[in-house]
Every structure is written in C-alpha cells, then in structure tokens.
C-alpha cells in the first residue's frame, strides 16, 4: 500500500495498520521535520485517539495547555470563557507534531520525492513509473495530486483561504505581547466569512485569518494585524511574510473519496469542520476509519469494497451538501445582526462557539481500531 503524504492523515493510517502485516510506504515531497501552515490547535480527543503520552510528547516539544478562549466579533467587546481543571485544548507546532507522528508510524518512508503520476495496472497502480501498489491512498492535503488524478478535485470548489505566520518572539516582543498563553483569542469577521486568531504557544506566536472567500485576503489580514497592534495585543514589529494555504469544509466539499484501488483521507478528501476549520481531528478520524476498512477488505480494494469507507464517513460526519437549515436560509442582514448581538453574550460564545463549534463536545469519541498498538 502506498500513502501519498506524510501529514497527520497519512502517518495515522500507517500507524493504525502497524503490525497487520501490510507492507506500507509513505511518499512525501518534503523531508521532515517540515513546516506546515496551521494554527496548531488540537483537542485532547486528538491526543487520545493518537495514544500520545503527553509527558513524552512535551519532552523537548511545545505542548501549550489551553484553559479558555476569548471570543468576539472583530472590533467588538471580547467575551472570555474559562474551563477549570484539565486542559480543553493544546497548542502544538506542526513542524514538531507531524515529525513525531511520522517517525513512530512504522511505514517505509520515501521522503523528498513528489508524486508525479500513477498508471493503472492489473493489480492496482504504478506510481512515478516505479512503485507498484494494490492500494494508493491520497493524503497529500488540500492540493493532493491523487485527488486530482482520480478527478475528485472540482474546479468550482468553495475553499477556505487562509494566511498565517508563526515565529519565536524576541524578549522585547514578548514584553509587547499581551496574549495569555492558555487563552487563545478568536475574532469573527462581521461579514461572517471567517475568523482570525492569535495564539501564543510558549515563546511562539501564531497569528492568522481564514475566509471562505479568497478575494482581498492579504488586505483583510493586514487590517486584522493593524487592529491587533492598535489594541496592543501583539508586538508592532511582526513580519508581513504570511504563508497561505487552503482547505475545504466538509459539508461544502464535493470531492469523491474513493475510486478503484484509491482512497482519499484528510484534507485530500476535504473534511474540515464547518465553523472552526479544524482539520487535524477529521484527518485522523478519516485515517482510523480507512484503516478499519482496509484491514477488513482481505486485500480487495475495488470501488465496491471501498464503499464501506464512504458509508462510515457519512455516518461519522453526516451527509454532504445538506439542504440549508432555517438559520442558513435567513437573509444575510438578519444573520449579521443576530451574530453581532449573540457574539457579545457569554451563553453563545461559550455554549455554541467554544463548546460546540470548537471543542466538538457533542461528538462521541471514536474508538481506536483493534490493530493499533500503544506506543507507551
Ligand atoms: C492557516 C491554517 C490554519 C489551520 N489551523 C488548524 C488548527 O489549528 N487545528 C486544526 O485541527 N486544523 C487546522 N488547519 C487545518 C489542518 O492544517 C489540516 O486539516 C491538516 O493539516 C490536514 O492533514 P493532512 O494530513 O490531510 O494534510 P497535510 O497536513 O496538508 O499533509 C499533506 C502532506 O502531503 C504532502 N504532499 C503534498 N503534495 C505532494 C506530492 N505531490 N507528492 C508527495 N507529497 C505531497 C505534503 O508535503 C504534506 O506533508 C489549518 C489550516 C490552515 C490552512
């Protein structure tokens, strides 16, 4: 089996199938550790599903505990929620997190080689004229070449376009940063197209903004930063070299996830949660569900057999392109007015924005496949 992409989706699939006897290789165009454009926020559920020993992980890596959130509409009063007790989220750095997951996953690693093409064979596929596999898994993120190869990537996709910067603050910058480490701040845009964030992880600061409308993104990011500087939240001397990337929100994505001897997981399949844009947990859950299907398929990977993956995904994440609900059908001016009022209330920002949209506290935990071995 060949997995294209060694991000959280690809490495989790290999890890979940470790010790099943399957021969698995991961191809990634980059060598690791590598940077990934991301805020680096994960819930404890992600760490549990990945069976990560937090003490082990924190040894030499950033693991920022989060106990609250500050939420507001950009330019309005912020509302702060606190969660006493165990952390409700963690801040990680993707350069460390993805490397950690890849190193322990047990697959053969073919790094620094890009996927170029795949040709159908009687058994499955031949990739880059040299790697033969009965099953090719597309885990190459939003621009996954496997998704393109099977025609899953539509031209009319409505993606979230985002820009982000993460840097280690100098002692002077730390003094000029008023963001609390354990309380990230989120700022929803008044046009309801997206949100910006500021997230302090130890000495690192992560600032970004994503919108389901890519026009003038750089100027939105620029005015967001100017506002943060004006409010003395971040140091004034930050670089303007933001990195851009994109992702699809699951209900709005139209990508197919399977073809004969091909399966897509993670961002390649377009799985991010609609309101938060959280994509690491869905990437990991899709990998775990894919592992269950692969393990139970007796080596037969035609589209009919892989349909079980589609079914499991729909059970877990719901139907795609659902009909707009009552709230969504309301005229935009009413939605904007309602949002501006609700975002000022503690009830809405805690129970809906934080608990439901960001912490997914209504989601039942996904059980690990029985093939997963603990790495303690
Ligand atoms: C600005 C921003 C902020 C975000 N913040 C968060 C957050 O805080 N929390 C969260 O949960 N989610 C966040 N996300 C979403 C999250 O980053 C993704 O959902 C997640 O990385 C998906 O994992 P993946 O393994 O599917 O893909 P990726 O992590 O994108 O990994 C794909 C891998 O495929 C490789 N690849 C690509 N093309 C090729 C090729 N041609 N050949 C070989 N290899 C290839 C890449 O090098 C990469 O290593 C954010 C996204 C953005 C853009």
């Amino acid at each position: 089996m060949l997995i294209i992409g060694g991000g959280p989706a690809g490495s989790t699939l290999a890890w979940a199938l470790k010790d099943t006897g399957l021969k698995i290789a991961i191809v990634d165009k980059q060598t690791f550790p590598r940077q990934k454009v991301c805020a680096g926020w994960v819930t404890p559920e992600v760490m549990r599903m990945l069976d990560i020993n937090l003490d082990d992980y924190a040894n030499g890596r950033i693991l920022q505990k989060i106990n609250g959130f500050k939420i507001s509409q950009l330019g309005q009063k912020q509302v702060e929620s606190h969660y006493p007790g165990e952390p409700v989220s963690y801040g990680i750095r993707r350069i460390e997190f993805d490397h950690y997951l890849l190193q322990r996953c047990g697959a053969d690693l073919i790094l620094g080689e890009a996927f170029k093409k795949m040709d159908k064979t009687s058994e499955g596929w031949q990739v880059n004229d040299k790697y033969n596999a009965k099953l090719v898994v597309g885990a190459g993120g939003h621009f996954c070449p496997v998704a393109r190869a099977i025609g899953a990537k539509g031209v009319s996709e409505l993606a979230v376009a985002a820009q982000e910067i993460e840097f280690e603050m100098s002692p002077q910058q730390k003094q000029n940063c008023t963001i609390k480490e354990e309380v990230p701040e989120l700022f929803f845009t008044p046009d309801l197209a997206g949100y910006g964030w500021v997230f302090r992880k130890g000495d690192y600061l992560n600032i970004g903004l994503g919108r389901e409308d890519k026009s003038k993104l750089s100027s939105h990011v620029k005015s967001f930063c100017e506002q943060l500087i004006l409010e003395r939240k971040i140091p004034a001397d930050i670089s303007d070299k933001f990195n851009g990337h994109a992702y699809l929100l699951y209900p709005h994505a139209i990508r197919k996830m399977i073809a004969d001897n091909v399966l897509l997981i993670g961002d390649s399949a377009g799985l991010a949660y609609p309101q938060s844009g959280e994509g690491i947990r869905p990437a990991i859950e899709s990998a775990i569900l894919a592992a269950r299907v692969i393990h139970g398929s007796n080596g037969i990977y035609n589209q009919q057999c892989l349909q079980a993956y589609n079914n499991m995904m729909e059970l877990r994440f719901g139907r795609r392109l659902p009909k707009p609900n009552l709230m969504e059908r309301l005229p935009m001016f009413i939605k904007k007015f309602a949002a501006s009022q609700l975002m000022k209330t503690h009830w809405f920002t805690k129970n809906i924005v934080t608990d439901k949209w960001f912490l997914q506290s209504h989601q039942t935990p996904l059980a690990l496949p029985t093939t997963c071995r603990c790495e303690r």
Side-chain angles (χ1 to χ4, degrees):
M1 181 173 114
L2 199 59
I3 302 174
I4 309 300
S11 59
T12 300
L13 177 60
W15 171 74
L17 290 169
K18 202 170 161 180
D19 304 323
T20 56
L22 273 176
K23 194 165 162 36
I24 304 173
I26 296 181
V27 174
D28 200 295
K29 66 179 178 183
Q30 304 220 42
T31 53
F32 283 61
R34 58 105 176 87
Q35 296 284 359
K36 162 74 181 81
V37 181
C38 186
W41 155 81
V42 290
T43 53
E45 188 55 22
V46 165
M47 301 311 230
R48 191 200 63 80
M49 279 189 290
L50 292 173
D51 201 21
I52 290 178
N53 179 319
L54 297 176
D55 292 334
D56 172 52
Y57 184 84
N59 187 8
R61 299 178 195 86
I62 295 277
L63 185 68
Q64 177 61 57
K65 293 179 179 164
I66 297 172
N67 290 100
F69 292 90
K70 264 190 187 178
I71 312 273
S72 66
Q73 215 172 54
L74 203 50
Q76 284 194 358
K77 184 174 92 58
Q78 293 182 286
V79 185
E80 188 164 343
S81 301
H82 274 285
Y83 294 82
E86 290 299 304
V88 288
S89 283
Y90 295 98
I92 48 91
R93 297 191 68 223
R94 290 292 298 271
I95 190 170
E96 298 170 350
F97 186 71
D98 291 17
H99 190 215
Y100 175 89
L101 296 182
L102 195 62
Q103 273 184 320
R104 65 165 203 175
C105 80
D108 291 337
L109 303 180
I110 305 165
L111 303 179
E113 177 170 345
F115 169 104
K116 292 196 187 76
K117 63 169 195 146
M118 58 191 221
D119 299 295
K120 194 83 185 78
T121 63
S122 56
E123 288 274 275
W125 294 90
Q126 187 176 63
V127 170
N128 287 1
D129 289 326
K130 53 181 163 179
Y131 305 116
N132 289 301
K134 283 176 88 176
L135 177 67
V136 174
V137 177
H142 179 69
F143 299 103
C144 182
V146 181
R148 202 176 317 120
I150 62 164
K153 220 171 146 321
V155 274
S156 57
E157 285 180 335
L158 179 62
V160 172
Q163 289 188 3
E164 168 260 22
I165 191 170
E166 181 168 291
F167 60 97
E168 187 171 8
M169 289 185 283
S170 66
Q172 186 65 45
Q173 286 176 319
K174 277 194 267 179
Q175 273 181 15
N176 295 333
C177 179
T178 57
I179 303 293
K180 285 188 260 174
E181 286 155 320
E182 66 285 2
V183 185
E185 304 196 10
L186 307 175
F187 305 84
F188 289 82
T189 61
D191 65 1
L192 311 185
Y195 72 92
W197 65 87
V198 193
F199 194 176
R200 186 172 180 167
K201 304 175 236 181
D203 291 346
Y204 288 85
L205 194 61
N206 187 303
I207 306 165
L209 184 129
R211 290 171 58 81
E212 213 174 20
D213 164 17
K214 61 178 186 236
S215 70
K216 300 192 185 141
L217 180 62
S218 295
S219 63
H220 284 289
V221 172
K222 190 164 176 274
S223 47
F224 174 53
C225 290
E226 283 166 0
Q227 177 86 21
L228 295 174
I229 291 168
L230 201 70
E231 293 177 16
R232 298 188 185 282
K233 288 187 179 293
I234 61 171
D237 59 345
I238 62 160
S239 159
D240 57 1
K241 301 268 178 296
F242 277 62
N243 300 301
H245 202 59
Y247 52 87
L248 294 173
L249 303 178
Y250 176 82
H252 306 174
I254 44 175
R255 286 191 187 184
K256 64 173 179 177
M257 293 188 275
I258 53 167
D260 277 333
N261 305 80
V262 180
L263 189 145
L264 304 182
I265 56 176
D267 273 12
S268 172
L271 304 180
Y273 286 133
Q275 287 89 5
S276 64
E278 177 187 2
I280 298 173
R281 179 170 171 179
I284 283 158
E285 293 197 351
S286 67
I288 290 173
L289 295 178
R292 284 187 196 161
V293 172
I294 292 165
H295 191 49
S297 70
N298 292 323
I300 303 165
Y301 303 121
N302 59 36
Q303 192 160 334
Q304 213 179 348
C305 290
L306 297 180
Q307 181 59 35
Y309 172 64
N310 263 352
N311 299 344
M312 283 186 186
M313 290 292 286
E314 201 169 290
L315 261 178
R316 183 69 183 166
F317 295 100
R319 273 184 170 256
R320 276 187 152 156
L321 300 174
K323 290 211 174 86
N325 61 28
L326 183 66
M327 273 301 283
E328 287 162 338
R329 287 204 305 264
L330 287 174
M332 198 47 159
F333 77 93
I334 298 184
K335 284 197 273 191
K336 282 186 189 167
F337 177 73
S340 71
Q341 299 308 306
L342 288 168
M343 282 290 183
K344 292 178 196 156
T345 68
H346 190 258
W347 177 83
F348 187 78
T349 50
K350 181 159 193 298
N351 295 299
I352 305 296
V353 180
T354 314
D355 287 352
K356 196 158 188 278
W357 294 354
F358 278 79
L359 301 179
Q360 296 284 325
S361 48
H362 56 289
Q363 269 281 26
T364 48
L366 189 68
L368 285 175
T370 46
T371 52
C372 281
R373 284 267 175 93
C374 298
E375 283 283 305
R376 291 185 195 282

